[in-house]
Amino acid sequence: MQLTSPDRQSTTGPIIGVVPAHNESRTIAHVVEGLLWHCDEVIVLDDGSTDDTHEIAKAAGATVRRSDRSAGYSSAVGNGFDLAANRGARCVVTVDGDCAHILDDTAKLIDAHLAGNASLTLGSRFLDLDHSVASTKILANRVASVLVAKLFPGRPAVSDVATGFRVYDGTLAQELIGEASRVPRFGLCYASIVHALRRGLSIQSEKTTVRYDGSQLLSTRRSEFDDLLSTLVMLTDGAARCKFEALRVAVRNLNPIKFELAREVIYALPIREADGYLFQAQSELYRRIIRCDPEGTHLFRETGEDLAT
Ligand SMILES: Nc1nc2c(ncn2[C@@H]2O[C@H](COP(=O)(O)OP(=O)(O)OP(=O)(O)O)[C@@H](O)[C@H]2O)c(=O)[nH]1
Ligand SMILES: [Mg+2]
């Protein structure tokens, strides 16, 4: 699924795998070995781990960069982009070190990236859903996609703005090094999309499969939601920035939030014990009964204050 016209892609250089890993000793060998089938080199960025992630990654064949202090996902991936740029990478494949993604999808993702001539190819967990992803995760991602899409009126929303399984064109990866060091924790996931769309570069999505363990399915962590909003606050100004700031205050206070999207109402309901949110949707039909809104594209806080216009 391509969103804009083809770009001029990097056509030479190695394909570099970049894996951020924080205490992933259980899974990192599998990820490195799986990725090495498809990449010329795999670089594991391990910062702040207290287990033997770095040793296992090295034994599995990865180039490892390690530091003592945990600087967050974005900083780790940015350091990977820096090393990939030094090698003149044609493209960079990022994948999480926790083995959430099915690595067999790597070939498909790289092929789609090269064939589609895109700057960024996202391994989407939410295209043609035929595997089990919890509804709260689907809804949380829909909300995230809509918030990002609000910066680009008239452009279709990207289906999975938070996926860690991606292929970046070498030039785009290089452009993102500075941004990666500025955004909070997982902010690069969103900042990269905003950056590409602002530059008029193309983003395409390819269906990929994920596996989660049960504990990850209950809720969306408050910190993840905060990362998204803090990144959008950083990347915007004026009225849009004020609205994202107001929403961030609500998230930081773990307040209930109500989003009215085009075809449904999505509630983010706080679960204090999990320090996060459960997302629930109500159908359009029900919404028509409780309130008539012909425009149907507003975003409201619990108080009813309109945040989107
Ligand atoms: N180097 C490094 N890697 C990190 C850091 N934080 C997270 N990661 C890695 O980034 C990847 C994604 O992090 P997760 O915690 O799984 O985040 P997530 O996939 O959004 O969340 P879940 O859906 O709950 O798994 C994993 O491989 C982590 O080990 C960090 O501070 N430094
Ligand atoms: Mg994960």
Side-chain angles (χ1 to χ4, degrees), residues 142-211:
R142 191 172 305 155
V143 166
S145 291
V146 167
L147 292 178
V148 171
K150 282 196 172 294
L151 302 183
F152 304 96
R155 301 277 284 272
V158 170
S159 96
D160 187 354
V161 290
T163 179
F165 199 9
R166 298 165 171 225
V167 186
Y168 294 82
D169 175 63
T171 310
L172 175 61
Q174 197 166 358
E175 285 176 15
L176 289 168
I177 294 170
E179 203 120 325
S181 65
R182 283 193 295 273
V183 292
R185 295 165 301 210
F186 287 95
L188 182 64
C189 296
Y190 318 110
S192 54
I193 290 170
V194 172
H195 177 97
L197 291 176
R198 279 189 174 156
R199 291 250 293 99
L201 303 175
S202 63
I203 298 177
Q204 62 180 13
S205 298
E206 188 68 24
K207 181 186 168 183
T208 53
T209 309
V210 269
R211 67 189 136 215

Side-chain angles (χ1 to χ4, degrees), residues 258-261 263-267 280-283 287:
K258 178 181 173 190
F259 300 92
E260 294 206 1
L261 309 182
R263 277 190 287 295
E264 66 201 326
V265 180
I266 298 179
Y267 291 94
Q280 282 237 322
Q282 268 177 358
S283 75
R287 186 175 143 223

Side-chain angles (χ1 to χ4, degrees), residues 18 20 73 77 93-96 101 109 122-123 125 160-168 189:
V18 163
Y73 171 94
V77 172
V93 182
T94 61
V95 67
D96 294 351
H101 305 282
L109 207 57
L122 301 169
R125 299 163 289 178
D160 187 354
V161 290
T163 179
F165 199 9
R166 298 165 171 225
V167 186
Y168 294 82
C189 296

Side-chain angles (χ1 to χ4, degrees), residues 22-309:
H22 179 74
N23 288 337
E24 304 290 8
S25 59
R26 269 187 327 117
T27 51
I28 195 69
H30 180 81
V31 173
V32 169
E33 284 160 10
L35 212 49
L36 275 171
W37 283 99
H38 311 285
C39 298
D40 297 295
E41 181 182 6
V42 172
I43 303 173
V44 170
L45 293 306
D46 169 4
D47 49 57
S49 288
T50 49
D51 65 6
D52 47 4
T53 296
H54 68 288
E55 282 157 7
I56 297 175
K58 200 167 174 203
T63 304
V64 180
R65 287 291 179 275
R66 186 176 180 229
S67 69
D68 292 337
R69 208 175 52 83
S70 174
Y73 171 94
S74 300
S75 160
V77 172
N79 289 337
F81 286 170
D82 202 11
L83 293 167
N86 289 337
R87 287 144 170 82
R90 176 182 191 183
C91 59
V92 178
V93 182
T94 61
V95 67
D96 294 351
D98 63 356
C99 218
H101 305 282
I102 305 291
L103 290 156
D104 289 349
D105 288 333
T106 311
K108 186 174 82 165
L109 207 57
I110 294 172
D111 287 350
H113 181 78
L114 298 178
N117 231 12
S119 285
L120 177 59
T121 300
L122 301 169
S124 172
R125 299 163 289 178
F126 308 111
L127 281 178
D128 307 326
L129 275 172
D130 60 4
H131 53 275
S132 71
V133 177
S135 59
T136 183
K137 223 172 180 67
I138 296 168
L139 295 175
N141 269 276
R142 191 172 305 155
V143 166
S145 291
V146 167
L147 292 178
V148 171
K150 282 196 172 294
L151 302 183
F152 304 96
R155 301 277 284 272
V158 170
S159 96
D160 187 354
V161 290
T163 179
F165 199 9
R166 298 165 171 225
V167 186
Y168 294 82
D169 175 63
T171 310
L172 175 61
Q174 197 166 358
E175 285 176 15
L176 289 168
I177 294 170
E179 203 120 325
S181 65
R182 283 193 295 273
V183 292
R185 295 165 301 210
F186 287 95
L188 182 64
C189 296
Y190 318 110
S192 54
I193 290 170
V194 172
H195 177 97
L197 291 176
R198 279 189 174 156
R199 291 250 293 99
L201 303 175
S202 63
I203 298 177
Q204 62 180 13
S205 298
E206 188 68 24
K207 181 186 168 183
T208 53
T209 309
V210 269
R211 67 189 136 215
Y212 290 112
D213 71 41
S215 63
Q216 294 171 322
L217 301 181
L218 174 67
S219 63
T220 296
R221 290 190 295 266
R222 168 166 47 174
S223 63
E224 278 183 64
F225 212 169
D226 194 330
D227 285 353
L228 166 67
L229 294 166
S230 295
T231 303
L232 293 176
V233 165
M234 258 178 88
L235 299 178
T236 51
D237 48 28
R241 184 192 181 116
C242 288
K243 286 163 189 168
F244 290 131
E245 268 173 344
L247 202 48
R248 183 171 64 175
V249 169
V251 167
R252 288 188 173 170
N253 290 329
L254 214 58
N255 291 340
I257 305 166
K258 178 181 173 190
F259 300 92
E260 294 206 1
L261 309 182
R263 277 190 287 295
E264 66 201 326
V265 180
I266 298 179
Y267 291 94
L269 304 167
I271 308 181
R272 293 203 178 266
E273 291 76 6
D275 197 21
Y277 283 94
L278 177 73
F279 283 74
Q280 282 237 322
Q282 268 177 358
S283 75
E284 187 178 17
L285 182 65
Y286 184 63
R287 186 175 143 223
R288 280 213 205 99
I289 296 167
I290 56 173
R291 138 192 240 282
C292 183
D293 176 7
E295 313 240 325
T297 50
H298 298 290
L299 173 66
F300 286 86
R301 221 168 42 179
E302 177 72 354
T303 55
E305 181 191 340
D306 189 343
L307 290 170
T309 54

